[in-house]
């Protein structure tokens, strides 16, 4: 009986780590959040094949607190809005949206990935998820070197 109870308690405690319902919600209205920074990844950059284009980073209020303190609280959401970057007439302009990448902080729910849930929405379409269960290898593995900054690459711009 004691073994069964111990096993049950262990299963309940571990459930969040292996639960199948770890879906990252689409960040409705993110373009009205605080704009953190922008950048362009051009041809020749090592990440161009996957992330070439114009990047805009947006943060909700909780994520702003994290940028300022270095530790992001649960409920912080960061959106990486990636757009094509067509060149014409000596200008780079915003093209169609390639993906809206989302980091959603919930230390318990996303414990296996540093407390962050990761998802990408192709073309910004909330029904077209491109990361899903591959978050650990598709996203988190690249963020591990940023552990000292709570796994976040971007920095709040003045």
């Amino acid at each position: 009986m004691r073994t069964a109870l111990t096993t049950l308690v262990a299963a309940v405690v571990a459930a969040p780590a292996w639960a199948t319902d770890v879906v990252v919600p689409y960040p409705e209205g993110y373009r009205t959040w605080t704009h953190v920074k922008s950048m362009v990844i051009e041809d020749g950059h090592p990440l161009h094949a996957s992330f070439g284009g114009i990047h805009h980073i947006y943060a909700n209020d909780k994520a702003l607190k994290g940028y300022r303190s270095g530790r992001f609280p649960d409920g912080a959401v960061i959106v990486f809005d990636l757009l094509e970057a067509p060149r014409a007439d000596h200008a780079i302009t915003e093209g169609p949206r390639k993906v809206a990448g989302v980091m959603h902080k919930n230390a318990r729910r996303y414990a296996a990935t540093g407390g962050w849930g990761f998802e990408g929405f192709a073309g910004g379409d909330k029904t077209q998820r491109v990361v899903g269960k591959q978050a650990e290898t598709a996203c988190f593995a690249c963020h591990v070197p940023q552990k000292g900054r709570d796994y976040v690459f971007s920095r709040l711009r003045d």
Side-chain angles (χ1 to χ4, degrees), residues 10-156:
V12 169
V13 170
W18 46 261
T20 58
D21 184 21
V22 291
V23 174
V24 174
Y26 183 83
E28 298 288 348
Y30 71 87
R31 290 191 30 91
T32 64
W33 298 354
T34 299
H35 176 257
V36 173
K37 65 178 276 184
S38 294
M39 69 178 288
V40 177
I41 290 185
E42 295 186 297
D43 193 19
H45 188 281
L47 296 177
H48 182 266
S50 298
F51 299 111
I54 299 172
H55 300 216
H56 296 299
I57 308 293
Y58 297 94
N60 70 1
D61 290 340
K62 288 185 178 184
L64 284 177
K65 290 177 185 172
Y67 276 113
R68 291 184 178 114
S69 71
R71 302 304 310 165
F72 291 79
D74 280 358
V77 180
I78 300 169
V79 178
F80 161 70
D81 199 15
L82 176 57
L83 309 169
E84 290 185 19
R87 292 174 174 265
D89 301 322
H90 304 287
I92 299 173
T93 58
E94 290 183 352
R97 180 167 287 107
K98 294 171 80 172
V99 69
V102 180
M103 291 178 66
H104 186 122
K105 184 70 180 256
N106 184 316
R108 183 175 172 167
R109 187 173 197 191
Y110 307 116
T113 50
W116 288 98
F118 296 88
E119 186 56 85
F121 297 90
D125 181 341
K126 62 180 118 184
T127 66
Q128 298 297 313
R129 294 175 178 272
V130 296
V131 174
K133 294 180 181 181
Q134 288 79 36
E136 193 166 347
T137 55
C139 302
F140 183 63
C142 290
H143 285 257
V144 168
Q146 298 300 315
K147 183 178 181 180
R149 300 196 73 254
D150 205 2
Y151 303 100
V152 175
F153 282 97
S154 56
R155 290 174 172 77
L156 188 61

